[in-house]
Amino acid sequence: MDKPQRGYWCECWTEDPVQETRPVLQASFDAYSAPQADRWVAVALRTISPALDPDASQEAWEWLYDGRIATRKALLRAEPCAVVLTQAHTRITWMIRPVIFLPLAHRRGTELPPCAAKFKPHTG
Protein backbone atom coordinates (compact mmCIF):
# COMPACT_ATOMS: atom_id res chain seq x y z
CA MET A 1 0.00 0.00 0.00
CA ASP A 2 1.76 3.16 -1.15
CA LYS A 3 -1.11 5.65 -0.98
CA PRO A 4 -4.01 6.25 1.44
CA GLN A 5 -6.73 3.62 1.20
CA ARG A 6 -10.31 3.73 2.44
CA GLY A 7 -11.38 1.02 4.83
CA TYR A 8 -12.99 0.29 8.19
CA TRP A 9 -11.55 0.05 11.69
CA CYS A 10 -13.37 -2.60 13.71
CA GLU A 11 -13.20 -3.05 17.48
CA CYS A 12 -14.79 -5.32 20.05
CA TRP A 13 -15.21 -3.90 23.57
CA THR A 14 -16.60 -5.43 26.74
CA GLU A 15 -17.76 -3.75 29.93
CA ASP A 16 -19.78 -4.42 33.05
CA PRO A 17 -22.59 -1.83 33.05
CA VAL A 18 -23.69 -2.81 36.57
CA GLN A 19 -20.31 -2.08 38.15
CA GLU A 20 -19.71 0.79 35.73
CA THR A 21 -16.24 -0.45 34.85
CA ARG A 22 -14.30 1.05 31.99
CA PRO A 23 -14.67 -0.74 28.66
CA VAL A 24 -11.90 -3.19 27.77
CA LEU A 25 -10.73 -3.61 24.19
CA GLN A 26 -10.89 -7.33 23.33
CA ALA A 27 -10.02 -7.29 19.63
CA SER A 28 -9.51 -5.03 16.65
CA PHE A 29 -9.44 -5.61 12.92
CA ASP A 30 -8.67 -3.56 9.83
CA ALA A 31 -11.11 -4.25 7.00
CA TYR A 32 -10.77 -2.95 3.47
CA SER A 33 -14.43 -3.35 2.44
CA ALA A 34 -17.87 -3.12 4.04
CA PRO A 35 -18.51 -6.86 3.52
CA GLN A 36 -15.22 -7.71 5.21
CA ALA A 37 -16.06 -5.45 8.16
CA ASP A 38 -19.54 -6.81 8.83
CA ARG A 39 -18.30 -10.37 8.23
CA TRP A 40 -15.87 -9.89 11.15
CA VAL A 41 -18.81 -9.19 13.46
CA ALA A 42 -20.91 -11.98 11.92
CA VAL A 43 -18.19 -14.59 12.49
CA ALA A 44 -17.81 -13.49 16.11
CA LEU A 45 -21.57 -13.63 16.72
CA ARG A 46 -21.93 -17.06 15.13
CA THR A 47 -19.00 -18.30 17.19
CA ILE A 48 -20.27 -17.11 20.57
CA SER A 49 -24.04 -17.48 20.05
CA PRO A 50 -24.22 -21.07 21.41
CA ALA A 51 -22.74 -19.85 24.72
CA LEU A 52 -25.06 -16.85 25.09
CA ASP A 53 -28.19 -16.78 27.20
CA PRO A 54 -31.46 -17.03 25.21
CA ASP A 55 -32.08 -13.26 25.04
CA ALA A 56 -28.56 -12.40 23.93
CA SER A 57 -28.56 -15.27 21.45
CA GLN A 58 -31.81 -14.02 19.95
CA GLU A 59 -30.34 -10.49 19.65
CA ALA A 60 -27.31 -11.95 17.89
CA TRP A 61 -29.40 -13.89 15.38
CA GLU A 62 -31.70 -10.91 14.78
CA TRP A 63 -28.66 -8.87 13.79
CA LEU A 64 -27.34 -11.70 11.62
CA TYR A 65 -30.67 -11.96 9.74
CA ASP A 66 -31.91 -8.35 9.65
CA GLY A 67 -29.48 -5.93 11.26
CA ARG A 68 -26.54 -6.96 9.15
CA ILE A 69 -28.21 -5.56 6.03
CA ALA A 70 -28.75 -2.17 7.71
CA THR A 71 -25.16 -2.23 8.98
CA ARG A 72 -23.78 -2.94 5.50
CA LYS A 73 -25.85 -0.13 3.97
CA ALA A 74 -24.68 2.33 6.64
CA LEU A 75 -21.04 1.33 6.08
CA LEU A 76 -21.41 1.87 2.34
CA ARG A 77 -22.66 5.39 3.17
CA ALA A 78 -19.48 5.82 5.27
CA GLU A 79 -21.42 5.90 8.54
CA PRO A 80 -20.07 4.31 11.74
CA CYS A 81 -22.00 1.36 13.16
CA ALA A 82 -22.23 -0.57 16.40
CA VAL A 83 -23.64 -3.95 17.36
CA VAL A 84 -24.36 -4.31 21.07
CA LEU A 85 -25.31 -7.42 23.07
CA THR A 86 -25.69 -7.86 26.80
CA GLN A 87 -24.88 -11.24 28.31
CA ALA A 88 -25.45 -11.44 32.08
CA HIS A 89 -23.32 -8.58 33.44
CA THR A 90 -21.27 -8.08 30.30
CA ARG A 91 -22.05 -5.67 27.50
CA ILE A 92 -20.26 -6.58 24.27
CA THR A 93 -19.95 -3.86 21.64
CA TRP A 94 -18.59 -4.28 18.14
CA MET A 95 -17.84 -0.91 16.56
CA ILE A 96 -17.05 -0.30 12.90
CA ARG A 97 -15.85 3.09 11.71
CA PRO A 98 -14.90 4.24 8.22
CA VAL A 99 -11.25 5.30 8.13
CA ILE A 100 -8.49 6.16 5.74
CA PHE A 101 -5.47 3.92 6.19
CA LEU A 102 -2.23 5.79 5.67
CA PRO A 103 0.82 3.98 4.32
CA LEU A 104 3.67 3.56 6.78
CA ALA A 105 6.96 5.29 6.08
CA HIS A 106 9.53 2.89 4.76
CA ARG A 107 12.82 2.84 6.69
CA ARG A 108 14.98 1.21 4.06
CA GLY A 109 17.74 3.54 2.97
CA THR A 110 17.00 5.95 5.81
CA GLU A 111 19.35 6.56 8.67
CA LEU A 112 17.94 6.14 12.13
CA PRO A 113 18.50 8.92 14.66
CA PRO A 114 21.58 8.55 16.93
CA CYS A 115 19.43 7.72 19.96
CA ALA A 116 18.30 4.48 18.27
CA ALA A 117 21.71 2.93 18.95
CA LYS A 118 21.27 3.55 22.68
CA PHE A 119 18.06 1.48 22.84
CA LYS A 120 18.49 -1.72 24.86
CA PRO A 121 15.60 -4.17 24.60
CA HIS A 122 14.11 -5.35 27.87
CA THR A 123 14.93 -9.00 28.53
CA GLY A 124 13.55 -11.25 31.14
Side-chain angles (χ1 to χ4, degrees):
M1 178 169 76
D2 59 349
K3 55 186 170 184
Q5 184 174 352
R6 292 189 183 278
Y8 302 89
W9 183 247
C10 310
E11 297 174 334
C12 178
W13 294 84
T14 58
E15 64 185 311
D16 183 338
V18 174
Q19 301 224 352
E20 297 181 10
T21 58
R22 295 183 69 178
V24 176
L25 179 64
Q26 298 297 330
S28 59
F29 178 70
D30 52 326
Y32 291 89
S33 68
Q36 188 181 27
D38 75 59
R39 189 176 317 120
W40 183 71
V41 177
V43 168
L45 287 175
R46 284 190 184 109
T47 301
I48 69 169
S49 66
L52 297 173
D53 65 41
D55 290 340
S57 182
Q58 182 176 343
E59 286 180 60
W61 286 102
E62 284 174 5
W63 182 84
L64 286 164
Y65 285 116
D66 297 324
R68 188 173 180 185
I69 295 166
T71 297
R72 173 93 50 101
K73 287 179 180 179
L75 293 174
L76 291 171
R77 291 189 305 268
E79 297 172 0
C81 298
V83 178
V84 182
L85 294 179
T86 301
Q87 163 70 23
H89 294 291
T90 303
R91 180 182 300 137
I92 309 167
T93 304
W94 289 268
M95 299 184 69
I96 305 171
R97 291 187 300 273
V99 296
I100 296 176
F101 293 109
L102 301 175
L104 296 175
H106 205 293
R107 291 191 343 180
R108 230 180 297 163
T110 305
E111 256 186 73
L112 294 175
C115 64
K118 295 178 184 176
F119 172 72
K120 301 289 185 229
H122 178 70
T123 59

